[in-house]
Amino acid sequence: MRAARRILVVRLGAMGDIIHALPAVASLKHSLPEARLSWIVESRWALLLAGNPYVDEVIELDRGRLRGWMEAARRLREARFDLAVDFQGLLKSALVASAARADRVLGFEPSQLRERAAGLFYSGYALARAAHVVDRNLELAAMAGAHSLLRRFPLPEGAPEGELPQGPFVLASPLAGWEGKQWPLDHYKLLAQRLERELGLPLVINGPPRAQYDLGPHYHASSIAGLIHATRRAAAVVGVDSGPLHLAAALGKPGVAVYGPTDPARNGPYGGTITVLRSAEAATSYQRRGRVEDSMRRISVDAVFEALAPRLAGKPQTSLCSG
Amino acid sequence: MDTRGKIVTPAEALEVIARAKDRGASATVVTGYFDPLLASHARRLEEIATRGRPLVVMVTSPPDPLLAARARAELVAALSVVDAVAIAEGGVPDLAGVEVIHEEQTDRERTRELIQLVKSKS
């Protein structure tokens, strides 16, 4: 098969999923350096791809506006892609890949798709065998022509926003896409007290500018650029299965993650610098419940502190899961 | 799981239907009000669905619906047997050569029976 000259990557959102596709896309471009690689992404996440040396062009999709969609469709058609790779596997992403009218459209095997009909738009499939999403994406990249796989997460530097402590601090990002994945918000206050008392470290709570929560004195509201900067500066992180945690894992930060309804083997922080705490009774469901799951509540403040403290002292990680 | 991603525009639904045709797996199209979605709808769609053939639902609107079209579409999209849902407020697009099952007439009956049932309970 002729090597692709113009490649379209489709992964429209969200933060964690885009981060999990970074190694696959880096591998594609690294293996096919002559090809021009474009990535179509929702405008709100485009900053994650800023300065990415493996992405030649970022096409922003403003899904809220019909004009945004028409404009993106026009750019896709004009670019004359010969290969489109849909890492998302949804009907909407497959439709975007299809709008590019590429000669080949690759995606995951229909049985592995959340929305079966997306498979109608693919000309070839990758049957993923790995557990973790990062590795599954690498399998799709390999099928698309990546012969050497890079486990690299190129991310922008970010930019300072708002107030951060002068000295070292721990950064927590308590909000997730759905409440079922969150750890109770009042637990962060108790954790902050223990960190301050026993280690003299402030716990900075990060969230988006419009979050309406009482999250204590060190609330750091920021955009993505501010979050990246704060994460780079943090001594360690505390998080749940959401974009900011995957960002921290990609940057190689130490820390602790509390998991419940989602499976760390598949959606865990990649790279092994972050310790995962998950109740032995947690059932993997991926059901988007609008309240904190009991399995998340079962992870105590003390358990998180005990897992976090050795990471701050620079001791190696000893266990991956706890009951 | 968020199933709202199965809701597409009528033009995109036509794309899905065209792609299925290219694959030699002609889509089944069902049009109806689903106002609101009832157990009988779920059973009916299960009956209609054929393995390997995508099931596309076009949600149309009666003159004075109980629920907004978007709400009705979200309920239909939650059924695992359904592959794609489009809100066809302006009428169902031309679907020559595709099997289309119209449920509107039965839906008028379903809604009427539901309203009677609610009245008898109140």
Side-chain angles (χ1 to χ4, degrees), chain A residues 214-290:
Chain A
D214 171 22
L215 292 167
H218 293 294
Y219 185 64
H220 179 248
S222 79
S223 69
I224 293 174
L227 171 67
I228 296 174
H229 174 261
T231 307
R232 286 187 188 277
R233 269 208 54 207
V237 300
V238 175
V240 294
D241 182 9
S242 74
L245 174 78
H246 299 300
L247 172 72
L251 294 173
K253 284 283 157 183
V256 172
V258 183
Y259 269 64
T262 58
D263 182 1
R266 184 187 161 94
N267 297 94
Y270 198 76
T273 60
I274 294 177
T275 306
V276 175
L277 299 180
R278 192 184 192 212
S279 159
E281 293 116 73
T284 300
S285 70
Y286 290 91
Q287 282 178 12
R288 297 182 174 229
R289 294 213 174 96

Side-chain angles (χ1 to χ4, degrees), chain A residues 10-85:
Chain A
V10 184
R11 177 79 243 191
L12 306 171
M15 188 193 297
D17 299 307
I18 289 170
I19 291 168
H20 283 161
L22 291 172
V25 175
S27 303
L28 257 181
K29 175 70 182 179
H30 178 75
S31 300
L32 304 164
E34 303 300 319
R36 183 173 158 79
L37 188 146
S38 306
W39 185 329
I40 183 161
V41 66
E42 279 177 38
S43 302
R44 57 194 292 221
W45 308 119
L47 191 129
L48 289 166
L49 306 180
N52 187 319
Y54 301 100
V55 178
D56 298 300
E57 177 193 32
V58 176
I59 301 176
E60 290 188 32
L61 177 61
D62 186 353
R63 276 178 62 221
R65 292 165 36 232
L66 183 64
R67 251 184 67 199
W69 177 214
M70 306 284 278
E71 168 66 15
R74 187 185 59 76
R75 278 183 73 184
L76 290 178
R77 275 197 307 276
E78 283 176 2
R80 298 186 184 281
F81 292 101
D82 39 24
L83 170 64
V85 189

Side-chain angles (χ1 to χ4, degrees), chain A residues 191-201 203 305 308 312:
Chain A
L191 179 66
Q193 286 166 9
R194 232 188 129 178
L195 277 168
E196 189 85 61
R197 196 172 58 233
E198 294 181 36
L199 300 172
L201 281 172
L203 181 69
F305 180 83
L308 190 60
L312 286 160

Side-chain angles (χ1 to χ4, degrees), chain A residues 98 114 116 120 122 125, chain B residues 1-2 5 19 23 80 83:
Chain A
S98 159
R114 237 172 68 189
R116 274 179 316 241
L120 290 170
Y122 304 153
Y125 308 114
Chain B
M1 187 180 288
D2 191 352
R19 285 305 169 118
R23 297 286 167 100
S80 65
D83 290 295

